[in-house]
Amino acid sequence: MDEALARMRATNAHLAVIRADGDVLGVVTLADVLARVLPTDDGTLRRGTSRPTLP
């Protein structure tokens, strides 16, 4: 997540395509990344968010 946020900040992007070995794995939004790295109201991090599975 830290690398994704750094790249998104460097390019002023709000969407990023996630790739591995040339294949597209998915798309992540800036909101997705921030939800994972910023604390909730009670000070804990959101780590248990669900992820869509690829067909």
Side-chain angles (χ1 to χ4, degrees):
M1 284 292 153
D2 293 334
E3 181 182 347
L5 181 58
R7 286 184 181 209
M8 291 172 90
R9 289 183 68 193
T11 60
N12 240 1
H14 287 242
L15 294 172
V17 177
I18 307 302
R19 297 176 184 259
D21 300 322
D23 295 328
V24 174
L25 300 179
V27 176
V28 66
T29 67
L30 181 58
D32 295 332
V33 174
L34 292 177
R36 293 302 270 323
V37 298
L38 294 178
T40 63
D41 290 339
D42 65 2
T44 60
L45 294 178
R46 296 179 182 106
R47 295 282 181 198
T49 57
S50 62
R51 296 183 185 133
T53 56
L54 296 174

PDB file of all heavy atoms in Angstrom, residues 11 15 17-18 21-22 24 26 28 35-36 42-44 46-47 49 52-53 55:
ATOM      1  N   THR A  11       2.288  10.914  -9.323  1.00  0.00           N
ATOM      2  CA  THR A  11       1.683  11.134 -10.636  1.00  0.00           C
ATOM      3  C   THR A  11       0.355  11.871 -10.565  1.00  0.00           C
ATOM      4  O   THR A  11      -0.293  12.067 -11.581  1.00  0.00           O
ATOM      5  CB  THR A  11       1.466   9.789 -11.356  1.00  0.00           C
ATOM      6  OG1 THR A  11       0.594   8.976 -10.569  1.00  0.00           O
ATOM      7  CG2 THR A  11       2.783   9.080 -11.597  1.00  0.00           C
ATOM      8  N   LEU A  15      -6.571   6.817  -9.658  1.00  0.00           N
ATOM      9  CA  LEU A  15      -6.802   5.423 -10.034  1.00  0.00           C
ATOM     10  C   LEU A  15      -5.477   4.799 -10.430  1.00  0.00           C
ATOM     11  O   LEU A  15      -4.644   5.447 -11.043  1.00  0.00           O
ATOM     12  CB  LEU A  15      -7.757   5.314 -11.236  1.00  0.00           C
ATOM     13  CG  LEU A  15      -9.187   5.762 -11.032  1.00  0.00           C
ATOM     14  CD1 LEU A  15      -9.919   5.764 -12.368  1.00  0.00           C
ATOM     15  CD2 LEU A  15      -9.900   4.835 -10.062  1.00  0.00           C
ATOM     16  N   VAL A  17      -3.866   0.971 -12.041  1.00  0.00           N
ATOM     17  CA  VAL A  17      -4.069  -0.381 -12.554  1.00  0.00           C
ATOM     18  C   VAL A  17      -3.005  -1.267 -11.923  1.00  0.00           C
ATOM     19  O   VAL A  17      -1.814  -0.952 -11.985  1.00  0.00           O
ATOM     20  CB  VAL A  17      -3.968  -0.416 -14.092  1.00  0.00           C
ATOM     21  CG1 VAL A  17      -4.099  -1.830 -14.612  1.00  0.00           C
ATOM     22  CG2 VAL A  17      -5.030   0.481 -14.707  1.00  0.00           C
ATOM     23  N   ILE A  18      -3.431  -2.365 -11.328  1.00  0.00           N
ATOM     24  CA  ILE A  18      -2.512  -3.294 -10.681  1.00  0.00           C
ATOM     25  C   ILE A  18      -2.191  -4.407 -11.670  1.00  0.00           C
ATOM     26  O   ILE A  18      -3.093  -5.073 -12.187  1.00  0.00           O
ATOM     27  CB  ILE A  18      -3.126  -3.885  -9.389  1.00  0.00           C
ATOM     28  CG1 ILE A  18      -3.615  -2.763  -8.465  1.00  0.00           C
ATOM     29  CG2 ILE A  18      -2.128  -4.798  -8.695  1.00  0.00           C
ATOM     30  CD1 ILE A  18      -2.559  -1.767  -8.064  1.00  0.00           C
ATOM     31  N   ASP A  21       3.246  -9.589 -13.993  1.00  0.00           N
ATOM     32  CA  ASP A  21       3.678 -10.367 -15.158  1.00  0.00           C
ATOM     33  C   ASP A  21       2.912  -9.995 -16.416  1.00  0.00           C
ATOM     34  O   ASP A  21       2.568 -10.852 -17.232  1.00  0.00           O
ATOM     35  CB  ASP A  21       3.546 -11.863 -14.887  1.00  0.00           C
ATOM     36  CG  ASP A  21       4.390 -12.315 -13.707  1.00  0.00           C
ATOM     37  OD1 ASP A  21       5.512 -11.782 -13.568  1.00  0.00           O
ATOM     38  OD2 ASP A  21       3.940 -13.175 -12.942  1.00  0.00           O
ATOM     39  N   GLY A  22       2.585  -8.712 -16.572  1.00  0.00           N
ATOM     40  CA  GLY A  22       1.888  -8.247 -17.761  1.00  0.00           C
ATOM     41  C   GLY A  22       0.379  -8.405 -17.721  1.00  0.00           C
ATOM     42  O   GLY A  22      -0.315  -7.892 -18.594  1.00  0.00           O
ATOM     43  N   VAL A  24      -3.369  -7.763 -16.072  1.00  0.00           N
ATOM     44  CA  VAL A  24      -4.078  -6.800 -15.233  1.00  0.00           C
ATOM     45  C   VAL A  24      -4.802  -7.570 -14.130  1.00  0.00           C
ATOM     46  O   VAL A  24      -5.603  -8.467 -14.400  1.00  0.00           O
ATOM     47  CB  VAL A  24      -5.089  -5.975 -16.058  1.00  0.00           C
ATOM     48  CG1 VAL A  24      -5.913  -5.079 -15.144  1.00  0.00           C
ATOM     49  CG2 VAL A  24      -4.368  -5.141 -17.105  1.00  0.00           C
ATOM     50  N   GLY A  26      -6.317  -5.809 -11.425  1.00  0.00           N
ATOM     51  CA  GLY A  26      -7.430  -5.012 -10.942  1.00  0.00           C
ATOM     52  C   GLY A  26      -7.106  -3.528 -10.957  1.00  0.00           C
ATOM     53  O   GLY A  26      -6.075  -3.101 -11.459  1.00  0.00           O
ATOM     54  N   VAL A  28      -7.266  -0.014  -8.367  1.00  0.00           N
ATOM     55  CA  VAL A  28      -7.396   0.481  -7.001  1.00  0.00           C
ATOM     56  C   VAL A  28      -7.573   1.998  -7.066  1.00  0.00           C
ATOM     57  O   VAL A  28      -7.000   2.658  -7.926  1.00  0.00           O
ATOM     58  CB  VAL A  28      -6.183   0.076  -6.139  1.00  0.00           C
ATOM     59  CG1 VAL A  28      -4.922   0.744  -6.602  1.00  0.00           C
ATOM     60  CG2 VAL A  28      -6.427   0.357  -4.680  1.00  0.00           C
ATOM     61  N   ALA A  35      -8.182   4.348   2.785  1.00  0.00           N
ATOM     62  CA  ALA A  35      -8.974   3.597   3.763  1.00  0.00           C
ATOM     63  C   ALA A  35      -8.122   2.538   4.456  1.00  0.00           C
ATOM     64  O   ALA A  35      -8.377   2.188   5.607  1.00  0.00           O
ATOM     65  CB  ALA A  35     -10.169   2.941   3.087  1.00  0.00           C
ATOM     66  N   ARG A  36      -7.097   2.023   3.766  1.00  0.00           N
ATOM     67  CA  ARG A  36      -6.229   1.005   4.356  1.00  0.00           C
ATOM     68  C   ARG A  36      -5.133   1.602   5.225  1.00  0.00           C
ATOM     69  O   ARG A  36      -4.648   0.945   6.132  1.00  0.00           O
ATOM     70  CB  ARG A  36      -5.570   0.169   3.269  1.00  0.00           C
ATOM     71  CG  ARG A  36      -6.483  -0.717   2.464  1.00  0.00           C
ATOM     72  CD  ARG A  36      -7.264  -1.688   3.241  1.00  0.00           C
ATOM     73  NE  ARG A  36      -6.910  -3.000   3.595  1.00  0.00           N
ATOM     74  CZ  ARG A  36      -6.258  -3.959   2.983  1.00  0.00           C
ATOM     75  NH1 ARG A  36      -5.703  -3.777   1.891  1.00  0.00           N
ATOM     76  NH2 ARG A  36      -6.110  -5.128   3.461  1.00  0.00           N
ATOM     77  N   ASP A  42     -11.622   5.096  15.983  1.00  0.00           N
ATOM     78  CA  ASP A  42     -11.135   4.559  17.259  1.00  0.00           C
ATOM     79  C   ASP A  42      -9.613   4.329  17.256  1.00  0.00           C
ATOM     80  O   ASP A  42      -9.065   3.761  18.184  1.00  0.00           O
ATOM     81  CB  ASP A  42     -11.873   3.284  17.644  1.00  0.00           C
ATOM     82  CG  ASP A  42     -11.625   2.136  16.678  1.00  0.00           C
ATOM     83  OD1 ASP A  42     -10.851   2.296  15.728  1.00  0.00           O
ATOM     84  OD2 ASP A  42     -12.234   1.067  16.891  1.00  0.00           O
ATOM     85  N   GLY A  43      -8.927   4.776  16.194  1.00  0.00           N
ATOM     86  CA  GLY A  43      -7.480   4.694  16.149  1.00  0.00           C
ATOM     87  C   GLY A  43      -6.919   3.426  15.543  1.00  0.00           C
ATOM     88  O   GLY A  43      -5.713   3.291  15.410  1.00  0.00           O
ATOM     89  N   THR A  44      -7.770   2.476  15.171  1.00  0.00           N
ATOM     90  CA  THR A  44      -7.283   1.238  14.568  1.00  0.00           C
ATOM     91  C   THR A  44      -7.239   1.383  13.054  1.00  0.00           C
ATOM     92  O   THR A  44      -7.884   2.251  12.478  1.00  0.00           O
ATOM     93  CB  THR A  44      -8.194   0.048  14.921  1.00  0.00           C
ATOM     94  OG1 THR A  44      -9.515   0.315  14.440  1.00  0.00           O
ATOM     95  CG2 THR A  44      -8.247  -0.169  16.425  1.00  0.00           C
ATOM     96  N   ARG A  46      -7.884  -0.114   9.188  1.00  0.00           N
ATOM     97  CA  ARG A  46      -8.837  -0.979   8.491  1.00  0.00           C
ATOM     98  C   ARG A  46      -8.049  -2.030   7.718  1.00  0.00           C
ATOM     99  O   ARG A  46      -7.609  -1.790   6.620  1.00  0.00           O
ATOM    100  CB  ARG A  46      -9.684  -0.170   7.522  1.00  0.00           C
ATOM    101  CG  ARG A  46     -10.546   0.848   8.193  1.00  0.00           C
ATOM    102  CD  ARG A  46     -11.330   1.620   7.127  1.00  0.00           C
ATOM    103  NE  ARG A  46     -12.137   2.632   7.739  1.00  0.00           N
ATOM    104  CZ  ARG A  46     -11.883   3.925   7.711  1.00  0.00           C
ATOM    105  NH1 ARG A  46     -10.849   4.371   7.053  1.00  0.00           N
ATOM    106  NH2 ARG A  46     -12.669   4.776   8.311  1.00  0.00           N
ATOM    107  N   ARG A  47      -7.876  -3.198   8.266  1.00  0.00           N
ATOM    108  CA  ARG A  47      -7.108  -4.242   7.599  1.00  0.00           C
ATOM    109  C   ARG A  47      -8.014  -5.343   7.058  1.00  0.00           C
ATOM    110  O   ARG A  47      -7.617  -6.070   6.192  1.00  0.00           O
ATOM    111  CB  ARG A  47      -6.093  -4.873   8.554  1.00  0.00           C
ATOM    112  CG  ARG A  47      -5.054  -3.908   8.996  1.00  0.00           C
ATOM    113  CD  ARG A  47      -4.026  -3.721   7.937  1.00  0.00           C
ATOM    114  NE  ARG A  47      -3.004  -2.796   8.407  1.00  0.00           N
ATOM    115  CZ  ARG A  47      -2.187  -2.176   7.630  1.00  0.00           C
ATOM    116  NH1 ARG A  47      -2.239  -2.344   6.345  1.00  0.00           N
ATOM    117  NH2 ARG A  47      -1.294  -1.357   8.116  1.00  0.00           N
ATOM    118  N   THR A  49     -10.714  -5.344   5.179  1.00  0.00           N
ATOM    119  CA  THR A  49     -11.633  -5.027   4.096  1.00  0.00           C
ATOM    120  C   THR A  49     -11.632  -6.139   3.068  1.00  0.00           C
ATOM    121  O   THR A  49     -10.621  -6.787   2.839  1.00  0.00           O
ATOM    122  CB  THR A  49     -11.258  -3.691   3.415  1.00  0.00           C
ATOM    123  OG1 THR A  49      -9.920  -3.786   2.941  1.00  0.00           O
ATOM    124  CG2 THR A  49     -11.377  -2.523   4.373  1.00  0.00           C
ATOM    125  N   PRO A  52     -12.388  -7.929  -4.057  1.00  0.00           N
ATOM    126  CA  PRO A  52     -13.074  -8.714  -5.073  1.00  0.00           C
ATOM    127  C   PRO A  52     -12.150  -9.792  -5.633  1.00  0.00           C
ATOM    128  O   PRO A  52     -10.931  -9.607  -5.668  1.00  0.00           O
ATOM    129  CB  PRO A  52     -13.421  -7.690  -6.146  1.00  0.00           C
ATOM    130  CG  PRO A  52     -12.485  -6.563  -5.925  1.00  0.00           C
ATOM    131  CD  PRO A  52     -12.138  -6.572  -4.467  1.00  0.00           C
ATOM    132  N   THR A  53     -12.717 -10.918  -6.007  1.00  0.00           N
ATOM    133  CA  THR A  53     -11.921 -11.977  -6.600  1.00  0.00           C
ATOM    134  C   THR A  53     -12.023 -11.902  -8.106  1.00  0.00           C
ATOM    135  O   THR A  53     -13.044 -11.478  -8.659  1.00  0.00           O
ATOM    136  CB  THR A  53     -12.397 -13.356  -6.119  1.00  0.00           C
ATOM    137  OG1 THR A  53     -13.795 -13.484  -6.428  1.00  0.00           O
ATOM    138  CG2 THR A  53     -12.196 -13.520  -4.636  1.00  0.00           C
ATOM    139  N   PRO A  55     -12.342 -13.423 -11.911  1.00  0.00           N
ATOM    140  CA  PRO A  55     -12.999 -14.616 -12.469  1.00  0.00           C
ATOM    141  C   PRO A  55     -11.991 -15.640 -12.961  1.00  0.00           C
ATOM    142  O   PRO A  55     -10.875 -15.409 -13.201  1.00  0.00           O
ATOM    143  CB  PRO A  55     -13.802 -14.062 -13.643  1.00  0.00           C
ATOM    144  CG  PRO A  55     -13.317 -12.673 -13.873  1.00  0.00           C
ATOM    145  CD  PRO A  55     -12.536 -12.253 -12.681  1.00  0.00           C
TER     146      PRO A  55
END
